Amino acid sequence: EIDLIAAPLSVSVQREQIIDFTQPFFYETTNILMKKLDPSHRKWMTFLDPFSDYVLLCIGIALPVSSFLLYLVEKLNPYYKELEEGTTTHTIRSFSDAFWYMFGALLTQGGEHMPESSSGRTLLSFWWIFCLVTMATYCGNLIAFLTVTKAKLPFTNIHELVQQDQYKWGLTSGTHWVDQFKQSSLPELKKAWDGIVSFNRTDPSVLSTDPNTHIEKVLAGKYAFIADKTFMEVKMANQCELVMTNEELLPTQYAFGLPNNSPYTRLFSEEILKIQESGLLQIWKIRSWPKQNFCKGEIVTEAKRITLIDVQSAFYLIGIGIVAGAIALGGEFARFYFKKWKDSKSPFEDTNSNIVHLQTNPRRSTIRHRK
């Protein structure tokens, strides 16, 4: 009944069995659209924004662990046993002393108690390098967060979307996305479809066939719309409160549809290839696409949170410091026991030398005996 379909018709295996597709005239990806959060609600947490949650967690773990190792190295160190009694005492007397010194170093301030042993100072040196790198990175990125007004997204990909429980999500019914989510073997896509089925029981609009219905739900808040990127860009051009995730999923190809074995399929495909090679599609897009308005308060620069991968080398320094401190501690133990062994051997050497001296000086020995 239909000779030609000229629409944003996506190419799929199921449709290919019924109709013929021409050469794709447009390549598209799938994104997630949501409403921007009010940036003022996170102002009190600005000092935590430069680092990701994993970096903050690793720093929180590294501080007490390194403090305990410093206290342990100082407590077991034989360096202090070699000193004369009353000359000096342990500068790190407790875990509290070690912790507050390490915490002061993390703030680039240091502390009152300073280790005197080589192993303690070795471990502390690498901790200081870690602190300098971490704080320099933090201060530099904090300035970027204070100057950039871009609000943080509640989620940035489909995996984070299905993990949270504050937002509902949906997609346009009767489209290829329904089949993609239903038949996908990816865990996050399967979980996303299970969520849509669950939401549909109480809110059928999550599977509405009208995309504008989904846009209204997005503007109402706490709702995410899964659709093609082009549609979102058109809607975002005149509505600054909308934002989409940067991660793209489910690539799509749009093409013309013709009946099976149609003689015009090859003709249309050749013309589409010529149009693409000449750049006409890009020219038409620039002329007819809605121009994006400049939203008040937005700037081009976007602050990026520091992740664990960005500062992983700084954490490696702690491990190197622990190994170097352990080697230095082993050296101090070896020196301590070697000196102890040497001192235990010296009385026998003095006795032997006196015996030899008496034997070589018999006259002197006789004089002493007479006296």
Side-chain angles (χ1 to χ4, degrees):
E1 296 179 359
I2 298 176
D3 297 317
L4 177 67
I5 301 176
L9 183 66
S10 59
V11 179
S12 66
V13 177
Q14 293 81 2
R15 292 173 178 173
E16 185 68 40
Q17 296 175 358
I18 300 174
I19 62 175
D20 283 344
F21 284 100
T22 63
Q23 170 73 21
F25 62 84
F26 196 78
Y27 296 88
E28 186 61 287
T29 56
T30 306
N31 286 64
I32 305 173
L33 184 71
M34 73 196 80
K35 186 179 180 181
K36 291 180 181 178
L37 294 175
D38 184 5
S40 61
H41 84 288
R42 281 185 58 89
K43 285 296 183 181
W44 67 276
M45 294 185 64
T46 304
F47 73 100
L48 295 176
D49 286 337
F51 284 152
S52 66
D53 298 336
Y54 287 108
V55 174
L56 294 175
L57 178 63
C58 289
I59 293 176
I61 295 175
L63 177 60
V65 170
S66 300
S67 301
F68 177 75
L69 290 175
L70 177 62
Y71 164 69
L72 200 63
V73 165
E74 287 292 288
K75 183 177 178 62
L76 302 177
N77 203 309
Y79 167 79
Y80 300 100
K81 299 178 182 179
E82 296 180 6
L83 301 176
E84 296 181 3
E85 186 177 356
T87 303
T88 184
T89 58
H90 287 72
T91 54
I92 304 295
R93 301 182 182 88
S94 63
F95 172 76
S96 177
D97 294 339
F99 177 83
W100 287 113
Y101 187 93
M102 301 291 263
F103 182 73
L106 191 61
L107 301 179
T108 65
Q109 295 299 319
E112 178 182 359
H113 304 288
M114 177 72 180
E116 295 184 3
S117 63
S118 299
S119 55
R121 294 195 173 192
T122 301
L123 176 60
L124 200 59
S125 299
F126 282 92
W127 176 258
W128 265 106
I129 297 174
F130 164 77
C131 293
L132 292 175
V133 173
T134 303
M135 288 300 103
T137 307
Y138 174 83
C139 294
N141 210 39
L142 179 62
I143 296 175
F145 270 92
L146 292 176
T147 54
V148 173
T149 58
K150 191 174 182 66
K152 179 186 175 183
L153 299 179
F155 44 83
T156 58
N157 51 48
I158 191 71
H159 177 73
E160 295 179 1
L161 172 63
V162 298
Q163 293 295 328
Q164 54 82 42
D165 56 359
Q166 297 182 353
Y167 277 71
K168 293 182 178 180
W169 57 89
L171 48 82
T172 307
S173 181
T175 60
H176 75 286
W177 288 295
V178 175
D179 296 329
Q180 291 271 12
F181 278 84
K182 271 185 178 181
Q183 302 172 6
S184 177
S185 59
L186 297 177
E188 56 268 20
L189 296 186
K190 292 175 65 177
K191 193 171 183 179
W193 176 249
D194 293 339
I196 293 175
V197 173
S198 177
F199 301 146
N200 187 57
R201 296 169 186 166
T202 56
D203 185 8
S205 60
V206 297
L207 282 174
S208 174
T209 57
D210 185 8
N212 293 319
T213 302
H214 294 277
I215 297 298
E216 293 175 0
K217 290 178 68 66
V218 170
L219 293 174
K222 300 296 181 180
Y223 183 78
F225 180 38
I226 303 173
D228 56 320
K229 182 178 180 180
T230 301
F231 175 79
M232 295 180 183
E233 289 177 343
V234 173
K235 292 297 181 181
M236 289 170 56
N238 299 315
Q239 300 193 37
C240 294
E241 58 269 32
L242 296 178
V243 63
M244 66 178 175
T245 58
N246 292 328
E247 186 181 71
E248 301 173 347
L249 63 149
L250 299 178
T252 305
Q253 299 176 356
Y254 289 146
F256 294 110
L258 295 94
N260 277 329
N261 302 319
S262 173
Y264 301 105
T265 303
R266 182 177 179 180
L267 177 62
F268 273 88
S269 296
E270 292 176 352
E271 292 299 324
I272 290 173
L273 285 174
K274 291 179 181 179
I275 293 173
Q276 289 177 337
E277 292 174 356
S278 62
L280 283 176
L281 281 177
Q282 294 298 323
I283 296 174
W284 294 338
K285 180 178 179 180
I286 294 173
R287 289 178 180 176
S288 59
W289 233 252
K291 301 298 186 295
Q292 185 173 4
N293 294 334
F294 179 78
C295 298
K296 183 180 180 180
E298 283 194 350
I299 57 178
V300 177
T301 306
E302 178 181 354
K304 173 183 175 293
R305 298 186 77 185
I306 300 298
T307 62
L308 186 59
I309 298 178
D310 298 327
V311 293
Q312 59 180 335
S313 58
F315 286 95
Y316 293 156
L317 291 173
I318 300 178
I320 296 173
I322 293 173
V323 174
I327 294 174
L329 180 61
E332 289 178 332
F333 267 109
R335 183 166 60 88
F336 172 76
Y337 285 112
F338 177 76
K339 185 177 181 181
K340 189 176 179 181
W341 173 80
K342 186 177 181 182
D343 293 341
S344 64
K345 294 282 288 183
S346 58
F348 296 100
E349 294 176 357
D350 293 341
T351 303
N352 295 333
S353 63
N354 291 334
I355 295 173
V356 173
H357 183 71
L358 290 173
Q359 291 177 353
T360 54
N361 297 278
R363 183 178 180 182
R364 186 175 180 181
S365 176
T366 305
I367 295 172
R368 283 186 177 184
H369 180 70
R370 289 176 180 178
K371 288 182 179 180

